[in-house]
Amino acid sequence: MRPTLLSRTRRWLGASMLALIVGIGGVSTAYVLTGLPATAQVQKAAQIVVPEAAQPQSGFADLVEAVKPAVVSILVEATEGPQDVQRGGGNFNMPDLPKDHPFHDFFQQFGDQFGGQGGDQQEQQAPRKFMAAGSGFVISSDGYIVTNNHVVENATKVTVVFDNGDEETAKIIGTDPRTDLAVVKIEGKDLPFVSFETTPSRVGDWVVAVGNPFGLGGTVTAGVISAKGRNIGGSNYGDFLQIDAAVNTGNSGGPTFNTKGEVVGVNTAIYSPNGGNVGIAFAIPASTVKTIVDQLKTGNGITRGYLGVSIQDVTKDIADGVGLQHAKGAIVREPTADSPAGKAGVKSGDIVTAVDGTPIDDALGLSRTIAGKAPDSTVELTIWRDGAETKISVKLGTLTEDAAQSEPSKPTPPAEVKPAPSSVGLTLVPNSDGSGGLLIQDIDENSPAAEKGFAVGDAILEVDNKPVATVDEFETALAAVKAKGLNTALIKASRGGEARFIGLPLGDGK
């Protein structure tokens, strides 16, 4: 795993940050209640009683001895493709920076100074060969092995090294960048192998990670499952186990076991400010691994269901703005043109709260659920629309990486109108560029709109799922929201061409 520190993930109208070190091929690869007795007059309610463990933990030596023959080191020879690099004169190699990069001019001047040629001459660098190392584990007696996609990415040769030192050349059977999983195969029979867990592990369960950190091979660390269902920045999968067993560079693709010797997850990333273990690592859970691996073993790649909507999480403000009791679900920004969702009647502003009766907590939950469905299958969406629940059946398509996103048709530009203040601290003017809605020209810095992150230049497209093109329409829509007894308006706004829903508090409605 080549550790790469993920930068702060910026979200419009809200920010969250998760620093991650994730593996990328190129270097070594792998992050009772007690108290006074109750009296006859006073009885404690809901007191927690922890069941006593059947046996005190005596160590993991027997477990490790049993599973280590099936855990392997993955050695990779790989090539990065040719790339254009900036060069000055002499032997000075310019970093490959875009012209708008803040250090582009600096390095160009540096090249001028030391090479006399400047930094804008380009030549193609030869493909770069490199070695990488990671971990994996055998899942069948005939030689199928699971590892991470980033461990074998760009590999020209994959070598599997067993704990006893035996080496075998492996063939890549299939990879899935979305879940960062890969299957390779060696020739053999009656090989030692391990199985996936049969009963889902729980937070607090003991786990043991075995792998090849820093190329050391056969290293064992222990800890517990710290959390489940983690969504980590930079991943479009987002359902990781969090463990506190030490995981470092080179552990990528290696297994995490429960105390029965069953694989509970595949180690794939760590959280770290410095590149080393700090006690927070992430593993792809066994339930996902089994599903993906079964498809990869066929050699036909992965197929996923496709709904065709852009979505976002439902915040409390959004829920308040549409009369939804709980801030859960995924709100549809726009259905893609000619997508399965659009053809079935899904609309912008619809909130998907369940799929086939399974509750949806957030946008990532909807994406995972739909991706787990078979293409051409029919699903029933439970949708919150206009203050009521409805159901829509959708026949899914097939997800492709380059699924086209259609642009909505642009309305006729309105006539020039002077900016006008609104009742919520926004000074608005009809959008003159033909994209519709109202442009924010000024904001009262003490208003709820400023607090929610609205900015000058944002476009207000809809209020309560109704298009607005004038300030009068905007105020009428706000009044209609208050008339419903709601104190938060659902606003559909756009910034930089990206639409998003925001719940805008309206005060006490007076």
Side-chain angles (χ1 to χ4, degrees):
M1 175 188 301
R2 172 167 50 195
T4 302
L5 184 63
L6 297 183
S7 61
R8 181 183 301 270
T9 302
R10 295 184 177 179
R11 293 184 180 177
W12 179 38
L13 304 179
S16 63
M17 186 276 287
L18 180 62
L20 287 175
I21 301 297
V22 293
I24 298 176
V27 297
S28 292
T29 50
Y31 279 177
V32 178
L33 177 64
T34 61
L36 297 176
T39 67
Q41 291 77 25
V42 179
Q43 182 177 0
K44 293 183 179 180
Q47 184 172 5
I48 296 173
V49 178
V50 179
E52 187 175 341
Q55 291 181 344
Q57 185 55 252
S58 58
F60 303 101
D62 291 340
L63 163 65
V64 172
E65 186 176 353
V67 301
K68 278 186 74 175
V71 181
V72 299
S73 297
I74 306 287
L75 305 182
V76 173
E77 297 178 22
T79 302
E80 285 182 339
Q83 54 184 328
D84 290 333
V85 294
Q86 301 282 352
R87 286 185 66 93
N91 294 321
F92 175 70
N93 286 335
M94 289 285 295
D96 188 15
L97 302 178
K99 289 190 175 183
D100 60 352
H101 192 282
F103 288 114
H104 178 273
D105 292 341
F106 168 78
F107 279 112
Q108 181 173 337
Q109 293 170 4
F110 187 83
D112 289 340
Q113 179 179 354
F114 288 93
Q117 297 291 329
D120 283 334
Q121 294 187 12
Q122 287 191 341
E123 68 178 34
Q124 199 171 65
Q125 204 176 44
R128 183 178 73 90
K129 295 182 179 180
F130 61 89
M131 300 288 292
S135 306
F137 55 99
V138 185
I139 59 169
S140 67
S141 62
D142 57 349
Y144 283 99
I145 296 170
V146 174
T147 186
N148 278 146
N149 170 69
H150 73 257
V151 171
V152 298
E153 193 172 26
N154 301 319
T156 56
K157 182 179 180 182
V158 178
T159 302
V160 171
V161 183
F162 285 84
D163 186 58
N164 63 4
D166 290 348
E167 296 186 6
E168 297 287 346
T169 300
K171 175 183 178 182
I172 298 175
I173 301 300
T175 62
D176 180 39
R178 279 185 171 268
T179 54
D180 195 21
L181 290 169
V183 172
V184 302
K185 190 178 186 303
I186 61 174
E187 294 300 323
K189 61 180 181 179
D190 298 328
L191 295 171
F193 67 94
V194 289
S195 302
F196 295 103
E197 66 179 1
T198 53
T199 302
S201 297
R202 302 181 300 166
V203 174
D205 281 349
W206 281 106
V207 289
V208 176
V210 185
N212 181 32
F214 305 111
L216 295 172
T219 299
V220 178
T221 56
V224 298
I225 296 176
S226 308
K228 300 179 73 172
R230 286 298 197 212
N231 174 22
I232 62 178
S235 168
N236 48 24
Y237 164 62
D239 186 22
F240 294 91
L241 298 177
Q242 178 184 323
I243 63 175
D244 70 351
V247 171
N248 287 286
T249 297
N251 275 112
S252 277
T256 291
F257 295 99
N258 60 20
T259 55
K260 299 177 183 178
E262 299 171 328
V263 177
V264 302
V266 175
N267 301 317
T268 194
I270 61 175
Y271 174 103
S272 176
N274 56 21
N277 169 65
V278 294
I280 298 179
F282 301 99
I284 307 165
S287 57
T288 298
V289 180
K290 286 189 291 186
T291 300
I292 298 300
V293 165
D294 286 344
Q295 293 188 61
L296 291 179
K297 286 172 64 176
T298 67
N300 297 323
I302 304 297
T303 59
R304 294 181 170 93
Y306 171 63
L307 188 59
V309 289
S310 60
I311 52 179
Q312 70 180 78
D313 293 343
V314 175
T315 64
K316 184 179 185 303
D317 288 334
I318 290 176
D320 291 344
V322 298
L324 194 59
Q325 185 176 2
H326 301 292
K328 291 188 175 183
I331 187 168
V332 176
R333 297 180 188 175
E334 295 288 347
T336 304
D338 297 323
S339 68
K343 292 177 181 178
V346 176
K347 301 178 181 179
S348 175
D350 285 349
I351 295 177
V352 181
T353 59
V355 176
D356 290 336
T358 301
I360 297 298
D361 289 333
D362 51 28
L364 191 58
L366 177 59
S367 296
R368 281 201 310 265
T369 300
I370 295 299
K373 302 289 185 180
D376 297 325
S377 64
T378 299
V379 298
E380 183 182 70
L381 305 181
T382 302
I383 286 177
W384 184 262
R385 176 191 293 174
D386 297 331
E389 189 175 276
T390 187
K391 296 183 186 298
I392 296 178
S393 293
V394 182
K395 183 178 180 180
L396 300 178
T398 301
L399 179 65
T400 58
E401 293 299 327
D402 56 352
Q405 297 289 333
S406 306
E407 292 187 3
S409 58
K410 297 183 177 180
T412 303
E416 189 71 25
V417 180
K418 292 183 178 180
S422 70
S423 61
V424 289
L426 299 174
T427 299
L428 303 170
V429 64
N431 195 351
S432 61
D433 70 358
S435 59
L438 295 161
L439 285 181
I440 299 176
Q441 295 231 329
D442 196 14
I443 301 178
D444 180 352
E445 61 181 15
N446 297 316
S447 66
E451 181 182 343
K452 292 301 177 183
F454 286 94
V456 172
D458 290 349
I460 304 296
L461 305 177
E462 297 177 2
V463 177
D464 197 26
N465 294 317
K466 299 176 180 62
V468 291
T470 67
V471 177
D472 286 343
E473 290 179 354
F474 181 77
E475 293 292 352
T476 299
L478 294 182
V481 170
K482 291 182 179 181
K484 294 180 181 179
L486 301 174
N487 293 327
T488 302
L490 182 68
I491 306 293
K492 184 179 182 180
S494 175
R495 177 182 297 175
E498 180 183 2
R500 192 168 183 84
F501 286 96
I502 309 103
L504 177 62
L506 302 178
D508 59 7
K510 296 181 181 179

